[in-house]
Amino acid sequence: MVVLSAAILASDGNKPLMSRQFVEMPRMRIEGLLAAFPKLITSQHSQQKQHTFVETDTVRYVYQPLENSLYLLLITTKTSNIVEDLGTLRLLAKVVPDVAGGQTEASVNENAFELIFAFDEVLTVGGYKEEITLSNIQKNLAMESHDEKVHIMLEEKKKEEATKRMEERSAQIARGKMEAMKNQMMNGGVNDGTSGLGSSSGMEGFGGGGHTDGYENNAAPYNYNASKNNEQVVDEGP
């Protein structure tokens, strides 16, 4: 048997929800095959049988109605073994509600990737059926899910460590800048005090014991005590 594609359709086959190709084919061709499917069946015919098939000149459509107007569809070659195709169809019909958690359009859309992974467990590249049961599919998907979770956890841990290193580096840079500013302020304050208080030119211009140019012949300082004595002598006259 060779399965070209496995698909799930809604609205009585008029709305493809997901499709998995197992052989190389152009997108336009698979879209054309899916678009032709609802024209080949009628609602009355699909309700009378649990599963059936219809053929064209090039391919065979093997399908089974699901709940809520959904269809499970296999597109195979005309030389494919119809008995094996029906067995594959029955297995996939069990996989869909088990993986999607229901048989509604919303559940299929929400679990489209999980359904594709499950279909890959049933059919190999090239469209050949694997010898596998539903319980084996569940175990394989659970293992893949566990490995994915471990990988996600490792990736998150790496991101957290990288973020922590960046924060530590930023804090280190900030501390270095603060220390440099502190040292600059301390060194600048000492230099300003020295230049303002220890300069000899400042002392000369403010009468601190030096001399001022142009005043070499200044008069002697005023003697308060001598002036007082003179006043007393004058008062003791006749």
Side-chain angles (χ1 to χ4, degrees), residues 47-224:
Q47 291 172 1
Q48 290 176 350
K49 295 184 179 181
Q50 184 179 5
H51 50 68
T52 186
F53 65 92
V54 62
E55 292 183 348
T56 66
D57 294 336
T58 57
V59 297
R60 178 187 294 145
Y61 295 88
V62 185
Y63 62 92
Q64 178 174 334
L66 302 177
E67 297 178 2
N68 302 307
S69 301
L70 297 182
Y71 274 87
L72 177 62
L73 173 66
L74 297 181
I75 302 176
T76 71
T77 60
K78 291 185 68 174
T79 58
S80 180
N81 188 321
I82 185 63
V83 177
E84 292 184 1
D85 293 341
L86 291 174
T88 303
L89 189 68
R90 285 191 293 269
L91 179 56
L92 291 178
K94 295 177 182 178
V95 168
V96 171
D98 183 75
V99 174
Q103 298 184 40
T104 64
E105 182 176 341
S107 63
V108 172
N109 287 331
E110 291 175 1
N111 299 278
F113 288 105
E114 287 77 5
L115 288 168
I116 289 175
F117 297 150
F119 284 14
D120 287 346
E121 294 291 332
V122 179
L123 294 161
T124 65
V125 176
Y128 297 96
K129 182 179 181 297
E130 292 276 15
E131 294 299 327
I132 195 169
T133 63
L134 180 60
S135 60
N136 295 137
I137 294 172
Q138 292 171 337
K139 291 178 182 178
N140 292 344
L141 292 177
M143 291 177 61
E144 291 176 0
S145 178
H146 175 71
D147 293 340
E148 183 180 3
K149 288 180 180 178
V150 171
H151 176 72
I152 292 174
M153 289 176 62
L154 292 175
E155 290 297 321
E156 289 179 350
K157 186 176 181 180
K158 289 180 181 178
K159 290 180 180 179
E160 289 177 358
E161 292 177 350
T163 302
K164 185 177 180 180
R165 287 195 297 268
M166 290 178 63
E167 290 176 350
E168 291 177 350
R169 179 58 178 167
S170 298
Q172 183 179 1
I173 293 173
R175 288 194 299 268
K177 289 182 178 179
M178 292 294 294
E179 188 68 23
M181 291 176 61
K182 181 179 178 181
N183 293 336
Q184 184 177 4
M185 292 176 64
M186 292 179 66
N187 294 334
V190 172
N191 291 334
D192 291 342
T194 302
S195 60
L197 298 177
S199 175
S200 60
S201 61
M203 294 295 291
E204 290 180 359
F206 205 72
H211 68 277
T212 303
D213 294 339
Y215 290 89
E216 291 83 354
N217 299 320
N218 287 348
Y222 177 76
N223 192 329
Y224 176 80

Side-chain angles (χ1 to χ4, degrees), residues 27-38:
R27 179 176 177 177
M28 293 293 293
R29 185 179 181 219
I30 187 62
E31 290 178 348
L33 292 173
L34 293 175
F37 173 67

